[in-house]
Amino acid sequence: MKESGESMTMTMKDHDPEVLQTTGDSAWFTQDRFGLFIHWGLYSMGARHEWLQSRERMGLEKYSKYFKRFDPDLYDPHMWAELASEAGMRYMVATTKHHEGFCLWDSAHTGYKATNTPAGRDLLSPMVDAFRERDMRIGFYHSLIDWHHPHYTVDPKHPLRFDQQFIEESKRRDFAQYRAYLHAQTKELLTRFGSIDLLFYDFSFPEEAGLPGKGKEDWGSEELVRLIRSLQPQILLNDRLQTGGDITTPEQYMPKEWVKLNGKKVVWETCHTFSGSWGYYRDEESWKSVESLVKMLIDAVSKGGNLLLNIGPNARGEIDERSIDRLKSIGKWMKRHSRSIYGCTEAPGTFDCPQDCRLTYNPSTNRMYVHVYSWPFKNIHLKGFAGKVEYAQLLNDASEIKFKEGVVESSMIDGAYRESRDESTLMLSIPVKKPDVTVPVIELFLKS
Ligand code: GLC
């Protein structure tokens, strides 16, 4: 484990003045860039989306079939951590409780927890330990929504939103008791598992079709944030409590550019699934290719952000083969290319990104990385790079890439050839054959 004191010093030293300062420690986060999201709960048994209770409008009685039979006998968190670490991921964010309300740890405030299922044990602690053993940072996802708590009231997301009897009963519920439960569980999560690096609450929403939404007043967000900061001042908090937060978390889409709030760049992370749903979904066929996934990671870093990629382990505790295959292939790419990801960020505006490429830049080593999405014939023209590059190589095998500064461009105007020189462009001479890697990267050692 890294000492938090060490990272706090880095925050001060390495902080980019263009980026909105975070209250929590974001220095490790903007270095590490790549994390694993884990969605695991009773919905893994339904194997058809983590929202199935709401989608199928299931009451508690019906949904209890899962609680009675949840028995992940093949659960091996060490294997999960190994896979993630070999894929090049540096942190994890695990669902402690999802919207269904089921808790993976042995909470003192509810009986709706893993210890009371056939699993018969706390499933969160061994996960935290296994990832820490791999030197990975630990994050908790915690659902603000709760479809099990006896004082959680009806809203547009609730499974029983169309049930008149429940709507009536809801009026007699005391939401303050749920709020107290939310705060008490937060306290447990931040006192029982050592130093937690990130907290991902999910989520606030507006009223809809005559039913009230829920937001910061309901969650008691301000008081909750005070509690969090008092227990773990270094923690990075996401933005779904409606009180700001350290990190902005666009979900299932790729931002066009560095994410901004009121015109100011922020620390951000986009979270994505392999196939569309977060929880294990047996019959889903819309799996992303390895190439898409690697490009999503590069895209995020090229805009100054992080990628949090999700797995939905099944109810026996295993990771889907389709996720394993993809994680291993991403790892193969990361083994040779992580230098263009860790510690990297958006390239300074003075460098133009060439066609079909993405740039990332490491300010500490002063190296630029050209990710070539579509391999062109023989040359890549880098506008604005002439005079700035000392040496160039392919990152996968450290083979030299020769270059020329200034290019002669000839064009035919009115039937006559004209030549013009472009002194600002640097021209790379690349092999005709694309290197046999998912996305080739050219590493440029810039002049100091
Ligand atoms: C959404 C969904 C949820 C998922 C989350 C991940 O808010 O409600 O199922 O856990 O996104 O960010």
Side-chain angles (χ1 to χ4, degrees), residues 37 39 50-51 98-99 141 200 202-203 240 251 271 278:
F37 215 172
H39 276 70
E50 73 284 355
W51 275 68
H98 203 261
H99 309 333
Y141 165 106
F200 193 121
D202 196 32
F203 61 98
R240 300 186 184 180
E251 177 180 321
C271 51
W278 300 90

Side-chain angles (χ1 to χ4, degrees), residues 7-167:
S7 343
M8 296 298 271
T9 345
M10 277 177 65
T11 321
M12 305 307 289
K13 186 163 61 76
D14 296 347
H15 180 69
D16 177 347
E18 273 188 47
V19 183
L20 204 66
Q21 184 99 39
T22 55
T23 307
D25 172 19
S26 54
W28 67 270
F29 187 76
T30 53
Q31 285 286 314
D32 289 359
R33 290 302 186 203
F34 191 24
L36 178 73
F37 215 172
I38 303 172
H39 276 70
W40 198 36
L42 299 180
Y43 47 80
S44 314
M45 294 182 76
R48 51 183 192 276
H49 206 279
E50 73 284 355
W51 275 68
L52 83 142
Q53 188 183 349
S54 172
R55 287 183 171 187
E56 298 174 23
R57 302 175 200 168
M58 268 194 241
L60 286 184
E61 209 174 307
K62 211 163 166 205
Y63 201 70
S64 69
K65 63 185 166 187
Y66 301 130
F67 183 75
K68 282 183 205 145
R69 297 181 180 88
F70 187 62
D71 185 13
D73 58 330
L74 300 178
Y75 174 44
D76 180 356
H78 291 279
M79 213 189 269
W80 296 14
E82 183 182 347
L83 257 173
S85 153
E86 293 197 343
M89 292 159 159
R90 293 268 184 97
Y91 61 101
M92 63 87 118
V93 180
T95 50
T96 50
K97 174 193 88 164
H98 203 261
H99 309 333
E100 62 182 5
F102 176 70
C103 300
L104 286 184
W105 82 103
D106 189 13
S107 171
H109 307 287
T110 181
Y112 204 48
K113 54 186 176 182
T115 42
N116 291 336
T117 64
R121 63 198 191 280
D122 165 14
L123 299 170
L124 188 61
S125 300
M127 204 189 301
V128 169
D129 293 345
F131 281 82
R132 275 203 185 120
E133 274 171 35
R134 297 256 159 199
D135 210 19
M136 290 175 75
R137 298 273 182 168
I138 306 297
F140 285 159
Y141 165 106
H142 195 69
S143 176
L144 297 164
I145 298 169
D146 193 310
W147 299 325
H148 181 270
H149 193 275
H151 287 287
Y152 189 90
T153 51
V154 73
D155 60 43
K157 311 290 174 195
H158 199 282
L160 301 181
R161 61 196 172 281
F162 299 111
D163 182 327
Q164 219 33 59
Q165 218 181 321
F166 182 72
I167 296 176

Side-chain angles (χ1 to χ4, degrees), residues 29 237-239 244-250 259-261 266-270:
F29 187 76
L237 193 58
N238 80 333
D239 56 339
D246 296 314
I247 54 171
T248 307
T249 55
V259 178
K260 295 194 182 97
L261 277 182
V266 292
V267 176
W268 67 274
E269 168 194 72
T270 181

